[in-house]
Amino acid sequence: MENSVGESSTTAAVTSIYHGLPLLTTRLVSSNNTNNNNNNTQNKMSLVINGDSHTQAHLGQVITHYLASLQPHKQRFLGYPTNEEFNYEALAPLLHLHLNNAGDPFHGSSFTLNSTSFEVSVLDWFAHLWDIQKSEYWGYVTTGGTEGNLHGLLLGREQFPDGILYASQDSHYSVFKIARMYRMQCIKVASLISGEIDCRDLKALLLANKHKPAIINLNIGTTMKGAVDDIDLVIKTLHETGFSRDRFYIHCDGALFGIMLPFLKEAASKISFKKAIGSITISGHKFLGCPIPCGVVITRLEHMKALSRDVVEVIASRDATVTGSRSGHAPIFLWYSLQKKGIIGIEKEVERCIMNARYLRDQLGSAGIGAMLNELSCTVVFERPLDDEFVSRWSLACNGNIAHVVVMQHVTLSMLDSFVSEFLQNRVIWFRDGLRKPLCIANDVGAIHCTCPLHISIKLLDI
Amino acid sequence: MENSVGESSTTAAVTSIYHGLPLLTTRLVSSNNTNNNNNNTQNKMSLVINGDSHTQAHLGQVITHYLASLQPHKQRFLGYPTNEEFNYEALAPLLHLHLNNAGDPFHGSSFTLNSTSFEVSVLDWFAHLWDIQKSEYWGYVTTGGTEGNLHGLLLGREQFPDGILYASQDSHYSVFKIARMYRMQCIKVASLISGEIDCRDLKALLLANKHKPAIINLNIGTTMKGAVDDIDLVIKTLHETGFSRDRFYIHCDGALFGIMLPFLKEAASKISFKKAIGSITISGHKFLGCPIPCGVVITRLEHMKALSRDVVEVIASRDATVTGSRSGHAPIFLWYSLQKKGIIGIEKEVERCIMNARYLRDQLGSAGIGAMLNELSCTVVFERPLDDEFVSRWSLACNGNIAHVVVMQHVTLSMLDSFVSEFLQNRVIWFRDGLRKPLCIANDVGAIHCTCPLHISIKLLDI
């Protein structure tokens, strides 16, 4: 590296705010004292930033310890819809650059270290997947599902400033947060036992609020039960209640299934821009797999134009996205994943996830544990384990009396076997004193899927 | 990898939506046809995702071409405040994992593949930098400056639902976008010629709107001119106009200088939570350097509590952030950068950037090109080059009649020498026919810094 002007000058403009501060001295000492402790403690303690400069070798050690500490979690990572099976080794050289796709990916930008050409390729792929012509769509690679919802719902609100947002109670938590952020009136719609939006309730609510346009959030599928809202039925309901196409906007939150469903022949409700929807978003780190959270949002060009026409001079682009600086790496990861898998690879992975989910449901069933799996879903819902340690050990996601496993690409049959076997062993322990019993999940997934003592006895009576 | 149940079953639930689609066949052909073209075309063409599965070797080649195509830009990357000088090789193994810090970093989460321990270390460091006790602050690692502004301004709005947002006209474009998103009344305040907020104008506006609380966005410093708003003077203005502390909220957008300024002895207006400010945000990919955009927001714990108390069960954490799923990698990059540099390293880098910026200003001045550099800034503002190709070649950021160079760590003296020399050569060409003249930048940076024909002649008359 070249010398700077005046770097070693005695008139340097710089001084330290840190030298001699007692707090940092204390931290430094406690960090040094940990050298003889076990790995875990050392690892934890040495994360403190004490102001010293550390060598790459030392820091590399910390990272190695950290990675080792994550391995057990990775081997039993069942509760979240993130694909942990990928290999982006070929992309490691990209770590040497900050890439930034600030602005509109279709507009170009004066931030020349960008990857918008990769981004547009990825967007084209999704536009094609969801049946919208290149000349008619707009979109971008987001930081994740929440930003996709932020963008889609903003498009809806800008089209209908006094519109009411309808979202089923099974919608992702971000939807209700966004309603608050955007100061939108939001009405929660009931869900069916499957998790799907209840169109009878939606109908009643629409009729009661006919005077205001409707902005509807649909789930493809829901966070907890993996249920897919029926787009056709929702549109039919809108028409039946007198909402013409110019008085509603539908945003599809397709976090996980938005990319899986198009590959399933049996999918009842196809996701398609040939239907009267305004936007679709998916998370890139879910099915496709990506080290960092990211996502894709696709909308009709006409909606985006209503949102932003102005060029921001400093980036020589349009400020059409929610976040300004956007990752240049994320689109390359997505591009790489799509190119590596190919259509056949994606099909196979979708099939494997769904088949393995059915396997888990059946194994739980055979073991006498009630479980629900929506058709064409890879999210298996069952009674919440009573022990938090067990929940954490398998990284399960819980809600009330239920827990779920999302069977993603990294979830193998032997992981599922181990999980069921361990679950059974633990249940024996939890329930052996007779004081605790399996939780009732009839209200969550229906009595038919519940194996709590009450519903077991009812079933026995029926026989 | 283990076989799945029924993967090769003839009753597989999966079919392809792609097989035989003409559009994809066309794409495939055009992709294949590019093999004999030059690298650029090949690179561009092969980005199309045609549905085939590609080998790692093939994809690696595309990435290599892409990286090579970026090198010339990197060698002349002058216009943006991103540090392109870093080495995160030691972190390459992290690419094998999706890490996710969904939720509140201080609350824990059932998403076990997280890096919240790194995140909290980074936050602690910034809290200390900005004088706020561990027990009194809250914060998180964001996706970048815009999310930091989204969060800080939301805190302000939730505290004062009918508050008016005041932001100088030199504020980042995201601030005005956010006002629209949040449905906040927003008043643009005039700026001084330096780019700093004009407190006389602010005073008049506050007096005219005394009935409503004030939410103020301050810039540390501004996007285009690197000007630092005077926090003390703004607070004084608020007091003078009768705004007691319980009727205003100040958010500091410290994108680039929020981390640099504390290391400068001469900094007139220290950024500190000892003053009546509510939140500070910086971008992580700017001074510290990070492959992906990221940032830090720090606020007072009391403000965050007002925003979110609810635990979201599915992640077993609080939904206290704007985005839901958050990068687990970004905090590790920031942690690594802070640990590697140490305090002394940061001081040296701050000094070098500022000294080199002064060098550029002086070189431009000696060459007869008017340029402005705010004190304690590394952003040099000058006349906009007349040729877009030159602007793009040096990745300059422009606005109206001005352009700027932001002297970051990767900007060497020889880069600056080449830039000035090439600028001079080009000016000779642009102006040689006498039809075009250097743009007047007196309105942007003051007549004293302008070398347009008019202001040159006035200066000559004065002599």
Side-chain angles (χ1 to χ4, degrees), chain B residues 136-410:
Chain B
E136 287 173 9
Y137 89 89
W138 187 83
Y140 71 98
V141 171
T142 66
T143 54
T146 296
E147 187 180 349
N149 289 341
L150 276 164
H151 198 265
L153 296 176
L154 184 63
L155 292 171
R157 194 200 69 178
E158 295 301 279
Q159 192 175 344
F160 301 118
D162 66 336
I164 295 174
L165 173 61
Y166 298 86
S168 87
Q169 62 188 27
D170 279 47
S171 299
H172 190 254
Y173 57 85
S174 67
V175 172
F176 304 106
K177 172 175 67 181
I178 291 167
R180 181 174 169 183
M181 285 168 74
Y182 288 170
R183 294 183 157 171
M184 296 170 82
Q185 185 185 348
C186 177
I187 297 182
K188 218 175 249 192
V189 185
S191 301
L192 303 174
I193 204 84
S194 65
E196 222 179 294
I197 191 167
D198 180 349
C199 280
R200 281 195 311 179
D201 190 44
L202 177 64
K203 190 172 195 168
L205 293 168
L206 287 169
L207 285 172
N209 296 282
K210 282 187 78 160
H211 57 295
K212 286 194 176 174
I215 299 159
I216 302 190
N217 178 78
L218 293 187
N219 305 302
I220 319 290
T222 61
T223 310
M224 201 57 206
K225 299 181 189 171
V228 176
D229 290 344
D230 186 333
I231 301 177
D232 298 319
L233 190 56
V234 167
I235 293 174
K236 190 165 164 268
T237 306
L238 282 158
H239 288 313
E240 284 172 1
T241 48
F243 283 80
S244 53
R245 178 139 184 193
D246 58 351
R247 292 194 61 243
F248 68 85
Y249 180 97
I250 296 177
H251 170 69
C252 299
D253 177 1
L256 171 61
F257 293 155
I259 179 170
M260 295 176 73
L261 224 55
F263 291 90
L264 290 167
K265 184 164 61 179
E266 296 94 330
S269 183
K270 193 163 161 21
I271 315 168
S272 168
F273 276 99
K274 288 184 178 156
K275 301 177 182 180
I277 59 171
S279 43
I280 308 176
T281 182
I282 60 130
S283 297
H285 56 285
K286 289 185 175 160
F287 182 79
L288 287 178
C290 182
I292 55 172
C294 62
V296 168
V297 62
I298 299 281
T299 182
R300 296 178 194 278
L301 189 57
E302 69 205 65
H303 298 317
M304 196 285 288
K305 282 184 179 159
L307 189 67
S308 167
R309 289 176 190 279
D310 301 339
V311 167
V312 175
E313 270 210 275
V314 74
I315 52 169
S317 191
R318 269 192 304 218
D319 182 32
T321 67
V322 171
T323 48
S325 283
R326 293 185 301 107
S327 169
H329 288 75
I332 305 179
F333 284 120
L334 297 182
W335 175 88
Y336 190 89
S337 175
L338 289 169
Q339 293 280 36
K340 188 89 190 300
K341 294 181 200 302
I343 294 301
I344 307 291
I346 294 177
E347 281 175 358
K348 282 195 179 153
E349 290 185 14
V350 171
E351 174 182 19
R352 185 154 54 89
C353 291
I354 288 180
M355 290 300 174
N356 288 358
R358 291 178 185 172
Y359 174 81
L360 172 61
R361 176 201 55 195
D362 295 345
Q363 291 300 103
L364 287 168
S366 309
I369 303 172
M372 180 187 80
L373 171 64
N374 277 309
E375 219 192 323
L376 310 178
S377 167
C378 58
T379 303
V380 182
V381 183
F382 48 88
E383 64 178 54
R384 182 183 194 138
L386 292 189
D387 181 352
D388 284 347
E389 201 190 313
F390 180 83
V391 166
S392 166
R393 184 171 151 78
W394 290 93
S395 298
L396 302 179
C398 301
N399 194 9
N401 280 4
I402 56 174
H404 77 199
V405 161
V406 189
V407 181
M408 301 299 293
Q409 290 92 326
H410 64 278

Side-chain angles (χ1 to χ4, degrees), chain A residues 18-30 48-50, chain B residues 124-125 127-129 131-134:
Chain A
Y18 272 94
H19 289 156
L21 285 190
L23 178 59
L24 281 152
T25 316
T26 315
R27 283 182 181 181
L28 180 58
V29 171
S30 55
V48 172
I49 303 166
N50 60 27
Chain B
D124 280 352
W125 189 90
H128 181 66
L129 183 74
D131 300 327
I132 186 163
Q133 294 292 316
K134 266 179 88 85

